[in-house]
Amino acid sequence: MSDGVTIRTRKFLTNRLLSRKQMVLEVLHPGRPNVSKQELMEKLAKTYKTDAQNIAVFGFRTHFGGGRSTGFASVYDSLDALKKVEPKYRLVRKGMAEAQKTARKQRKERKNRAKKFRGTKKAKMSANPEKKGK
């Protein structure tokens, strides 16, 4: 499945504050429509001698005409660092976090009710949202 796929890294940067290595990935895949993120993570894990779970790949765009894609990758030092730094929506995509369960309308109503309060009252209101009286 991975035959004919080449991965090049550009703009490689070691980010010690976020305990990761970040880079731009250029994927050459002639004859294939695209390469799965899972496959890219496994190839990068082999290259950087780490576990595939410690890698986050995102933002891939296939170039016009096909055969080449460009995106970003972050190789974290540990799984804890990944969970601490990565945005929640990317953790949900990887299956490491749960998606938000509340309905969109409920979130909007809570936000608009919170607009009526300031300071600590707003925090108390959002902590225990109770219905108003009649």
Side-chain angles (χ1 to χ4, degrees):
M1 189 84 189
S2 66
D3 49 289
V5 175
T6 309
I7 298 177
R8 285 195 201 131
T9 59
R10 295 188 302 121
K11 298 183 180 180
F12 184 88
L13 181 77
T14 303
N15 191 333
R16 296 203 187 286
L17 286 174
L18 300 178
S19 63
R20 71 182 180 192
K21 301 173 195 87
Q22 53 198 51
M23 65 208 80
V24 173
L25 285 185
E26 213 170 80
V27 184
L28 301 171
H29 47 89
R32 284 181 68 174
N34 216 332
V35 185
S36 71
K37 290 180 184 177
Q38 188 64 40
E39 193 174 332
L40 289 173
M41 285 191 286
E42 288 166 5
K43 275 186 165 272
L44 283 173
K46 202 178 296 180
T47 307
Y48 289 100
K49 297 178 179 71
T50 184
D51 190 28
Q53 277 192 325
N54 295 348
I55 298 174
V57 292
F58 57 95
F60 278 89
R61 292 278 170 245
T62 306
H63 292 255
F64 180 75
R68 202 167 101 208
S69 300
T70 307
F72 301 96
S74 300
V75 181
Y76 287 89
D77 295 344
S78 66
L79 195 60
D80 292 334
L82 180 130
K83 286 183 179 178
K84 183 179 172 189
V85 175
E86 277 294 299
K88 191 148 194 295
Y89 75 94
R90 282 198 219 134
L91 292 176
V92 170
R93 282 182 190 172
K94 282 180 70 95
M96 295 182 174
E98 286 294 315
Q100 208 169 19
K101 297 287 186 203
T102 57
R104 180 182 168 99
K105 188 169 176 100
Q106 284 179 329
R107 289 195 310 263
K108 284 175 175 277
E109 286 172 354
R110 180 177 294 148
K111 171 190 65 102
N112 289 330
R113 279 198 306 268
K115 284 181 185 176
K116 297 174 185 156
F117 298 102
R118 286 176 58 101
T120 56
K121 288 182 183 177
K122 184 181 284 195
K124 288 178 188 173
M125 192 283 313
S126 63
N128 55 348
E130 69 258 354
K131 293 282 183 185
K132 287 184 181 178
K134 295 172 194 152

